[in-house]
Amino acid sequence: MGSFKLPQDQHGPEEDLNSQCERIHFNGPIIVGAGPSGLAAAACLSVHGVPSLILERSDCIASLWQYRAYDRLKLHLPKDFCQLPFLKFPEDYPKYPTKHQFVDYMESYATHFSIRPLFNQSVIAARFKDGLWRLQTAADHEYASPWLIIATGENAEPVMPDIVGLEKFGGKIIHTSSFKSGSEYQNERVLVVGCGNSGMEVSLDLSGHNVTPHMVVRDTVHVLPKEVLGFSTFGIAMALLKWFPLKLVDKFLLFAASVTLGSTEQLGLRRPKMGPFELKNVAGKTPVLDTGALSQIRAGKIKKVTEGVKEITKNGAKFVDGQEEEFDSIILATGYKSNVTSWFKRAEFFTEKGIPEVPFPNGWKGENGLYTVGFTRGGILGTSCDAIKVAQDIADQWGAIKNKQAQIVSHSRKIPVKRPYMINIHFERRSLQGWKAVK
Ligand SMILES: Cc1cc2nc3c(=O)[nH]c(=O)nc-3n(C[C@H](O)[C@H](O)[C@H](O)COP(=O)(O)OP(=O)(O)OC[C@H]3O[C@@H](n4cnc5c(N)ncnc54)[C@H](O)[C@@H]3O)c2cc1C
Ligand SMILES: NC(=O)C1=CN([C@@H]2O[C@H](COP(=O)(O)OP(=O)(O)OC[C@H]3O[C@@H](n4cnc5c(N)ncnc54)[C@H](OP(=O)(O)O)[C@@H]3O)[C@@H](O)[C@H]2O)C=CC1
Ligand SMILES: O=C(O)C(=O)Cc1c[nH]c2ccccc12
């Protein structure tokens, strides 16, 4: 059962979140977010016979993949590492499914497990009161449940950089989450800020559409081949990690990268001191898996801007190295961030960046029925690990509650029960007047 505390307000004001809103009580866990993590959590729970309710801010599942991903996006890890628990990708899918195939898979996943999220329910506040998590949505509903599973993801909001003069720019500025295709930029002069997987692939896409983008590389970056001798680099790393320490695996990957890609340093892409997988674990910085951008940089079809942007002007940018260029459009490939701290004010569980303070593999469980899925820095593979553990943990409590309730009904007498069960029963009896129940 872990560390259970007496029910008390953990955060938020003493008074109700919003006394005017419609109040809905759900007996099973409430999941926030209908991306891969929320769906995996719901599916794993349903396998244990535990009902769950998903609240999703968007109007569809997997909104990151449906609305905020560019046209040419494919999984850059092989499909074996990106499938969700209990349902494999279709046999005929390619090794690296397209975003459309991934979305189709997730639609089938939701259908298979009868997952029907409530859409247009953006959670804007959460607090724990009287043994229950209470969630307020922008749609003026308040939901209550003994369990809260946060599955809003590491990529909930775009990071907008604080670059001097950005507001003065006369052309178009977008974040990569709104980028669809280089075809919309033909013959334009484009600045891409950032050189992670998004910046590299957007630059590559632009270079295929008669654009020679300038890509800002302000710091160090690890670029790895997507595959070595036909085997995915990620797969190789996972296999080696079963036997060898992380640092040694990183050394091997860097050797493989130098053999297959040549020296990236010579192209002006300096490598961080820390190895690629260690850096991903420690700082969440994903190495770039090269899908072709490197050869375009080598060929001069993607121009690198080292040291960064000093200032954006009305017509272009001034760079730290003193150069100045004119641009028609700026694409911010500056990454994403969690939004948890904006609605969940529980400082001791999440870092200020909105990811669990305790790193993977132990960040999935908090106190008082709080859980997270998908904040692992390990992509969809990490999501699956979390979802299985969270569901098992809740299923154990659920089973115990159901047993106790059955005993109470059959014996019609007061049975001494441990606190969590008591709270559930206490809650059902006393605190729910005026709340609608969802079955
Ligand atoms: C472009 C891109 C490509 C990627 N490719 C891969 C890959 O190939 N392999 C891999 O393993 N990982 C990849 N990742 C990592 C990626 O984060 C995961 O693949 C996956 O989408 C994470 O799932 P998630 O459910 O945790 O988060 P998300 O997919 O972001 O889903 C979270 C959901 O929560 C909703 N939400 C957010 N805030 C609220 C709120 N307050 N109230 C209600 N709902 C809310 C969102 O609308 C969203 O639907 C990629 C990431 C990006 C950005
Ligand atoms: N095909 C796939 O599967 C893809 C997967 N992804 C995944 O999505 C996630 C997000 O990737 P991505 O969108 O690339 O974001 P990342 O966070 O990985 O990269 C952001 C980039 O922007 C740079 N940056 C941030 N602020 C500034 C600034 N003010 N000036 C200059 N540069 C700046 C960062 O530099 P610095 O490092 O110095 O901070 C970094 O190069 C990753 O996990 C990635 O792997 C993304 C695209 C495709
Ligand atoms: O693509 C992503 O964003 C991921 O998080 C997947 C991922 C997890 N660990 C990695 C290590 C190297 C490259 C990608 C990933």
Side-chain angles (χ1 to χ4, degrees), residues 1 25-29 45-46 48-52 145-147 371 390-406 420-421 424 428 438-439:
M1 200 44 242
H25 161 238
F26 187 64
N27 260 333
L45 285 162
S46 83
H48 288 287
V50 182
S52 62
S145 156
W147 297 282
Y371 297 87
V390 168
Q392 181 64 61
D393 202 71
I394 295 177
D396 291 346
Q397 300 164 54
W398 179 263
I401 290 168
K402 291 290 150 192
N403 278 342
K404 290 292 172 196
Q405 285 175 340
Y421 321 134
N424 211 27
E428 285 180 13
V438 178
K439 298 270 186 258

Side-chain angles (χ1 to χ4, degrees), residues 75 79-80 82-83 87-91 93 97 101-102 105:
L75 296 181
K79 61 178 179 177
D80 295 352
C82 297
Q83 53 205 0
L87 189 68
K88 288 187 181 303
F89 280 115
E91 288 278 318
Y93 267 31
Q101 288 169 322
F102 188 57
Y105 164 71

Side-chain angles (χ1 to χ4, degrees), residues 48-256:
H48 288 287
V50 182
S52 62
L53 180 69
I54 303 188
L55 304 178
E56 165 58 51
R57 69 177 170 188
S58 187
D59 61 0
C60 64
I61 63 155
S63 63
L64 169 66
W65 293 84
Q66 306 222 43
Y67 292 144
R68 292 179 282 138
Y70 43 85
D71 294 348
R72 65 178 287 149
L73 180 69
K74 289 181 179 172
L75 296 181
H76 66 177
L77 310 185
K79 61 178 179 177
D80 295 352
F81 297 105
C82 297
Q83 53 205 0
L84 302 178
F86 303 114
L87 189 68
K88 288 187 181 303
F89 280 115
E91 288 278 318
D92 60 349
Y93 267 31
K95 186 172 178 185
Y96 299 100
T98 64
K99 75 162 180 176
H100 301 290
Q101 288 169 322
F102 188 57
V103 169
D104 286 348
Y105 164 71
M106 280 189 286
E107 294 280 8
S108 325
Y109 192 83
T111 306
H112 183 87
F113 292 101
S114 307
I115 302 169
R116 283 181 290 273
L118 297 184
F119 295 117
N120 304 307
Q121 298 294 322
S122 181
V123 174
I124 55 169
R127 69 174 173 151
F128 186 68
K129 190 182 179 201
D130 293 341
L132 290 170
W133 288 99
R134 293 177 174 212
L135 303 175
Q136 182 167 349
T137 67
D140 251 3
H141 290 68
E142 190 180 339
Y143 294 87
S145 156
W147 297 282
L148 168 60
I149 303 174
I150 301 182
T152 46
E154 296 162 338
N155 300 312
E157 314 290 341
V159 168
M160 295 305 199
D162 196 10
I163 301 176
V164 177
L166 205 56
E167 72 291 346
K168 290 190 197 141
F169 186 61
K172 186 165 127 187
I173 305 180
I174 63 154
H175 184 266
T176 46
S177 52
S178 310
F179 178 87
K180 290 296 165 215
S181 162
S183 61
E184 292 161 24
Y185 297 82
Q186 298 218 23
N187 302 317
E188 281 193 20
R189 297 162 300 176
V190 183
L191 178 67
V192 177
V193 182
C195 62
N197 279 296
S198 300
M200 290 277 188
E201 198 157 21
V202 162
S203 298
L204 175 65
D205 199 24
L206 289 165
S207 74
H209 286 94
N210 241 349
V211 178
T212 305
H214 281 67
M215 183 178 70
V216 178
V217 185
R218 70 166 171 187
D219 198 4
T220 55
V221 57
H222 273 303
V223 184
L224 299 176
K226 192 166 129 182
E227 295 197 338
V228 179
L229 300 171
F231 295 98
S232 94
T233 306
F234 186 84
I236 294 171
M238 289 298 116
L240 291 175
L241 281 169
K242 288 188 184 144
W243 301 98
F244 302 106
L246 188 60
K247 281 184 197 299
L248 194 61
V249 173
D250 269 345
K251 282 212 165 81
F252 174 81
L253 295 176
L254 291 174
F255 171 72

